[in-house]
């Protein structure tokens, strides 16, 4: 190729840098993207500080991670510092080589980074949007704004780490603009919202043993786990799906307890009790333990976030090698499942929604206790010779009932349950006609049928010498009865005989 074959058309710094502010971050997702960098740098502590000073207010993120040397910092400040197609280390929460810049620019016009490696000197660089716009050139400044150096007190006391200072916060509510007065209250409310957001997004990372500690204005944040487990939480069967890159994706459906059942104060706090339960339903996508999508029905047709399905939550855990397949976006707020998984996810979602609806519809208090840890399934997922396989759980009371009586109707009941709970979404790679599934499932959806199954199972357990109340606890934990709390409660108060 000769020089006549191309022309260099460089981006205009003044206009592009302003456009880079519009990637769609809000304050919470911007700070979370900066916290991602600290976690990727193996920080054990991260401090997020909001300082109110009117127009001169600042937000900073300090970490005790590995820090950077001068050339590392130079690379970090570059837009597109790394190729998104590069393989990343497991703990690396980054992908695009943009976050530090785009997240900061979305909120402010001046971002200063001061960093040091263990035993090394501090390095300083600053992007100042006013300067870039005025000069129309990609100039990174080599010193902080006047007075900014004294802000990094936290960093001075650390062996290594990084301090990111956001100034000129023109996009943050509460900061005074020419035409309006500022409001400290409004600024500090943002701080509160950011704290709540980080508590949710990083809950798995901060609650892990020896997990990262995150402080917002010196207050350590506590995890908010959308999948908190209390006695009435139903953990349904989990599924491992393999994507075309060979990576495994874990899908774990839950039916959360009805709000009225979450009486324990610490559980309420863990659940983020002030949050609206209707908006909290849906799939949650975690990437390397970091939450990307918090409750979405992923655009499946006709699935709305309504009151009836508010107890359905499904956890999806993916690794960072599947980023392209899941279409992770720069702000780390969006991800959508690859085409190859949509069918399986729709079926898992459908089952979870149906069960959640039944629990929601039945709001009585005489429900037999179901312990999340003891929930038992008709089909068991087992690994045989390194291969996933499935077998019918021989402990199921209906298996006992069929064995004991040996009559045709109890064998038929067992077969119906086995058929209707067959984990098709895991085994069959080909889409199955929805109508076929609907017909099979309707046979066990019939309350009269389920009641007969319950009674047959009750007798099978009674024959083993188990007492009524213990029988009810056992039955309530078994699939499919766990999805019929009203029928279980009826049997509890009206046993077939004592
Ligand atoms: N707090 C930090 N400590 C150490 N290194 C950092 C820190 N923040 C950024 N870096 C370095 O700067 C690089 C660029 O960060 P940036 O957030 O712009 O992109 P990224 O994290 O690679 O990808 P993404 O755009 O997905 O966030 C990082 O890859 C990392 O090497
Ligand atoms: Mg990043």
């Amino acid at each position: 190729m000769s020089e006549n074959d191309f022309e260099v058309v460089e981006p205009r710094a003044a206009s592009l840098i302003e456009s880079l502010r519009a990637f769609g971050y809000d304050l919470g997702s911007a700070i979370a993207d900066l916290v991602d960098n600290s976690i990727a740098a193996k920080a054990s502590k991260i401090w997020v500080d909001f300082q109110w000073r009117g127009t001169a207010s600042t937000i900073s993120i300090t970490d005790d991670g590995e820090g950077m040397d001068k050339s590392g910092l130079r690379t970090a400040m570059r837009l597109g510092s790394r190729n998104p197609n590069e393989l990343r280390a497991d703990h690396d929460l980054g992908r695009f080589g943009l976050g530090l810049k785009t997240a900061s620019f979305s909120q402010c016009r001046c971002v200063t980074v001061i960093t040091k490696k263990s035993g090394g000197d501090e390095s300083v660089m600053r992007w100042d949007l006013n300067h870039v716009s005025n000069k129309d050139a990609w100039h990174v400044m080599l010193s902080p704004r006047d007075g900014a150096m004294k802000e990094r007190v936290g960093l001075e006391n650390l062996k290594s780490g990084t301090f990111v200072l956001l100034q000129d916060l023109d996009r943050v509510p509460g900061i005074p603009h020419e035409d309006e007065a500022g409001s400290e209250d409004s600024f500090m409310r943002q701080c509160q919202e950011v704290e709540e957001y980080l508590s949710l997004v990083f809950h798995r990372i901060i609650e892990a043993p020896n997990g990262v500690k995150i402080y917002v204005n010196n207050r350590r944040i506590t995890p908010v786990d959308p999948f908190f487990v209390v006695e009435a939480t139903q953990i349904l069967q989990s599924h491992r799906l393999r994507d075309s890159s060979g990576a495994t994706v874990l899908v774990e459906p839950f039916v959360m307890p009805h709000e009225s059942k979450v009486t324990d104060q610490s559980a309420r706090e863990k659940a983020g009790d002030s949050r609206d339960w209707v908006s909290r339903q849906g799939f949650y996508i975690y990437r390397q333990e970091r939450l990307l999508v918090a409750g979405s029905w992923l655009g499946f047709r006709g699935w709305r976030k309504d009151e009836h399905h508010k107890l359905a939550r499904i956890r999806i855990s993916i690794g960072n090698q599947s980023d392209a397949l899941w279409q992770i976006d720069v702000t780390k707020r969006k991800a959508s499942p690859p085409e190859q998984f949509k069918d399986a996810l729709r079926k898992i979602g459908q089952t979870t929604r149906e069960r959640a609806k039944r629990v929601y519809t039945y709001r009585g208090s005489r429900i037999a206790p179901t312990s999340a840890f003891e929930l038992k399934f008709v089909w068991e997922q087992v690994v045989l010779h390194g291969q996933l396989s499935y077998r019918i759980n021989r402990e199921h009371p209906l298996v006992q009932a069929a064995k004991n009586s040996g009559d045709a109707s109890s064998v038929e009941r067992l077969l119906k349950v086995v058929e209707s709970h067959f984990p098709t979404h895991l085994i069959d790679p080909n889409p199955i006609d929805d109508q076929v599934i609907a017909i099979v499932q309707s046979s066990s959806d019939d309350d009269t049928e389920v009641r007969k199954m319950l009674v047959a199972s009750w007798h099978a357990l009674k024959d083993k010498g188990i007492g009524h109340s213990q029988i009810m606890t056992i039955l309530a934990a078994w699939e499919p009865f766990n999805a019929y709390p009203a029928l279980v409660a009826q049997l509890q108060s009206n046993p077939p005989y004592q």
Side-chain angles (χ1 to χ4, degrees):
M1 199 184 302
S2 79
E3 276 184 15
N4 295 332
D5 289 338
F6 61 84
E7 264 186 62
V8 177
V9 182
E10 288 194 333
R12 286 274 313 278
S15 38
L16 185 57
I17 203 137
E18 295 294 336
S19 309
L20 287 170
R21 310 193 72 192
F23 266 52
Y25 290 94
D26 57 13
L27 183 57
S29 53
I31 303 293
D33 214 0
L34 298 172
V35 170
D36 280 350
N37 286 341
S38 301
I39 293 170
K42 303 200 177 115
S44 65
K45 290 187 180 153
I46 301 164
W47 296 267
V48 177
D49 290 301
F50 281 63
Q51 290 258 9
W52 170 257
R53 288 192 210 112
T55 32
S57 298
T58 60
I59 301 174
S60 65
I61 294 94
T62 309
D63 69 57
D64 65 353
E66 290 169 341
M68 291 171 272
D69 58 17
K70 184 100 196 153
S71 85
L73 176 57
R74 193 171 184 281
T75 308
M77 297 302 271
R78 185 190 290 279
L79 285 150
S81 50
R82 281 178 75 176
N83 185 331
N85 298 329
E86 252 176 55
L87 206 63
R88 298 255 186 165
D90 274 354
H91 64 275
D92 195 339
L93 300 174
R95 169 57 49 200
F96 299 96
L98 284 174
L100 170 63
K101 289 74 64 175
T102 48
S104 308
F105 297 166
S106 73
Q107 306 300 318
C108 73
R109 297 193 66 82
C110 179
V111 51
T112 307
V113 183
I114 308 179
T115 181
K116 64 179 179 194
K117 281 183 110 56
S118 180
D121 294 332
E122 276 182 356
S123 306
V124 185
M125 283 191 180
R126 163 168 63 106
W127 275 116
D128 200 317
L129 267 54
N130 293 343
H131 178 95
V132 174
S133 282
N134 290 340
K135 301 284 178 197
D136 198 5
W138 299 105
H139 291 170
V140 182
M141 315 309 285
L142 299 176
S143 60
R145 274 192 186 173
D146 284 348
M149 214 54 192
K150 68 174 188 312
E151 304 280 338
R152 60 149 192 3
V153 273
L155 185 68
E156 277 182 310
N157 301 324
L158 298 171
K159 265 189 13 211
S160 67
T162 300
F163 169 74
V164 178
L165 179 67
L166 311 186
Q167 292 172 290
D168 217 343
L169 299 163
D170 64 336
R171 298 268 169 98
V172 178
I175 303 296
H177 292 291
E178 284 162 11
D179 48 347
E180 58 188 67
S183 153
E184 180 172 3
D185 281 354
S186 164
F187 182 68
M188 293 327 283
R189 246 194 328 274
Q190 302 301 312
C191 173
Q192 175 67 32
E193 278 175 25
V194 166
E195 178 176 338
E196 283 175 21
Y197 188 73
L198 300 180
S199 305
L200 178 67
V201 164
F202 295 106
H203 79 90
R204 283 169 87 170
I205 291 174
I206 57 185
E207 74 197 350
N210 300 322
V212 178
K213 297 185 178 78
I214 302 178
Y215 302 84
V216 174
N217 279 11
N218 288 322
R219 200 174 46 238
R220 184 164 166 199
I221 66 169
T222 49
V224 168
D225 180 3
F227 296 90
F228 64 95
V229 172
V230 290
E231 208 180 4
T233 309
Q234 292 187 29
I235 306 173
L236 308 186
Q237 189 157 30
S238 63
H239 311 286
R240 282 179 195 283
L241 311 174
R242 205 176 291 276
D243 70 24
S244 56
S245 73
T248 306
V249 172
L250 182 62
V251 185
E252 300 167 285
F254 286 65
V255 176
M256 304 312 290
H258 195 272
E259 287 144 278
S260 60
K261 302 260 187 251
V262 190
T263 45
D264 173 31
Q265 184 55 27
S266 68
R268 289 192 86 96
E269 277 165 21
K270 232 188 154 206
D273 157 60
S274 63
R275 291 166 199 278
D276 163 17
W277 280 51
V278 173
S279 70
R280 300 258 133 211
Q281 63 189 284
F283 289 95
Y284 286 68
I285 304 180
Y286 291 82
R287 168 179 176 268
Q288 308 294 105
E289 314 279 293
R290 191 264 207 218
L291 184 62
L292 299 175
V293 172
S296 156
W297 286 121
L298 305 177
F300 287 127
R301 196 142 38 96
W303 292 16
R304 281 194 313 277
K305 283 192 173 183
D306 56 24
E307 187 72 15
H308 286 106
H309 299 103
K310 69 179 182 182
L311 305 179
R313 296 182 189 179
I314 303 167
R315 185 160 68 196
I316 301 180
S317 306
I318 63 173
N320 63 5
Q321 66 279 58
S322 314
D323 286 352
L325 273 176
W326 286 76
Q327 298 173 49
I328 309 297
D329 83 329
V330 174
T331 66
K332 319 283 181 339
R333 282 208 297 178
K334 293 194 194 117
S336 38
E339 223 31 63
Q340 68 196 98
F341 285 166
K342 284 199 174 148
D343 203 43
L345 293 176
R346 192 161 48 81
K347 285 173 186 158
I348 295 169
Q350 206 166 345
T351 312
T352 315
R353 280 164 60 91
E354 277 165 17
R355 289 179 184 206
K357 191 171 168 187
R358 290 201 198 110
V359 173
Y360 171 77
T361 317
Y362 178 73
R363 277 173 280 179
S365 55
R366 287 173 303 149
I367 177 170
T370 60
S371 164
F373 298 105
E374 287 173 14
L375 199 59
K376 306 257 184 60
F377 304 101
V378 178
W379 287 87
E380 288 179 305
Q381 205 177 38
V382 287
V383 180
L384 279 178
H385 312 301
Q387 294 264 311
L388 275 184
S389 69
Y390 301 87
R391 67 175 179 208
I392 297 162
N393 192 332
R394 302 291 192 280
E395 299 293 311
H396 199 291
L398 284 174
V399 174
Q400 303 291 322
K403 273 189 187 164
N404 288 3
S405 71
D407 66 36
S409 61
S410 53
V411 173
E412 181 58 23
R413 262 179 228 123
L414 172 64
L415 293 178
K416 274 183 181 161
V417 167
V418 167
E419 282 166 357
S420 60
H421 289 82
F422 186 67
T424 37
H425 41 283
L426 298 177
I427 296 168
D428 191 350
N430 304 310
I432 295 171
D433 183 351
D434 279 347
Q435 282 187 332
V436 176
I437 293 172
I439 292 164
V440 173
Q441 290 197 337
S442 68
S443 60
S444 79
D445 279 346
D446 175 358
D447 278 10
T448 322
E449 260 311 299
V450 179
R451 196 171 293 117
K452 281 185 187 156
M453 288 177 196
L454 265 170
V455 172
S457 302
W458 189 94
H459 284 292
L461 294 172
K462 189 75 183 167
D463 287 350
K464 287 172 128 186
I466 304 173
H468 173 65
S469 68
Q470 207 192 335
I471 291 179
M472 293 321 299
T473 310
I474 294 171
L475 290 183
W478 268 104
E479 193 183 49
F481 309 131
N482 63 308
Y484 294 86
L487 296 184
V488 172
Q490 272 172 20
L491 191 68
Q492 188 169 28
S493 44
N494 298 303
Y497 63 80
Q498 279 293 5

